[in-house]
Amino acid sequence: MIERVFILKRTEVFGELGEDILTSLSTYLDEAHYDTGETIFKKGDVGKTLYIVVDGSVRIHDDDTTIGTIGEDEIFGERSALTGNLHRASATAATDCKILKLDEDLLYEVMTGHPEVAQGLIEVLLERFK
């Protein structure tokens, strides 16, 4: 539990939240492990999850074209988690990965009580669309 709080604290989106909120939030995170080359989601899948990379890296791609690489303490899947739209790219483990997953319902609940989370997500989205 404490490890998850430290992970959330290091992220751009959740770093400004108090430890009590992060402790509560961390209880709702699901942990997943992916081997190198394993698909996390495919382009066209319905997105309802925000992902946080704990260890390793994730390749975001459209077929063979790499769009970007997401590393430790970074998030991905935010656009689809916010909109419920289909993923516009695929995500594949570039290395063995440990990832925390946050369901969209809880994400919205956190944003409702803490507008700084919504602001952090907007900043991440704007940075990605530069």
Side-chain angles (χ1 to χ4, degrees), residues 13-69:
V13 173
F14 300 104
E16 298 300 317
L17 297 178
E19 286 193 30
D20 56 331
I21 296 160
L22 294 176
T23 300
S24 176
L25 178 60
S26 68
T27 63
Y28 296 100
L29 297 171
D30 291 322
E31 186 174 303
H33 297 267
Y34 297 91
D35 296 327
T36 301
E38 190 173 353
T39 299
I40 299 167
F41 58 77
K42 292 182 182 179
K43 178 180 179 177
D45 288 350
V46 175
K48 295 193 177 280
T49 304
L50 175 76
Y51 300 85
I52 304 165
V53 178
V54 177
D55 292 312
S57 62
V58 174
R59 177 177 167 250
I60 306 299
H61 58 96
D62 188 356
D63 294 324
D64 292 332
T65 303
T66 299
I67 298 167
T69 302

Side-chain angles (χ1 to χ4, degrees), residues 97-116:
C97 293
K98 177 178 170 184
I99 292 177
L100 297 176
K101 300 178 348 179
L102 180 62
D103 177 83
E104 72 173 339
D105 292 335
L106 185 59
L107 177 60
Y108 275 114
E109 186 177 318
V110 171
M111 287 190 312
T112 299
H114 305 280
E116 61 271 30

Side-chain angles (χ1 to χ4, degrees), residues 1-9 19 22-23 26:
M1 189 68 63
I2 293 172
E3 177 190 15
R4 289 182 179 187
V5 170
F6 286 126
I7 292 163
L8 290 170
K9 195 77 171 156
E19 286 193 30
L22 294 176
T23 300
S26 68

Side-chain angles (χ1 to χ4, degrees), residues 71-130:
E72 294 178 8
D73 302 330
E74 293 184 299
I75 67 166
F76 65 102
E78 67 282 343
R79 188 191 66 79
S80 294
L82 289 169
T83 64
N85 290 338
L86 304 179
H87 287 291
R88 297 186 339 184
S90 298
T92 302
T95 63
D96 290 351
C97 293
K98 177 178 170 184
I99 292 177
L100 297 176
K101 300 178 348 179
L102 180 62
D103 177 83
E104 72 173 339
D105 292 335
L106 185 59
L107 177 60
Y108 275 114
E109 186 177 318
V110 171
M111 287 190 312
T112 299
H114 305 280
E116 61 271 30
V117 172
Q119 180 179 352
L121 285 169
I122 290 167
E123 289 173 8
V124 168
L125 285 166
L126 290 173
E127 185 65 29
R128 295 227 172 115
F129 289 109
K130 273 186 170 180

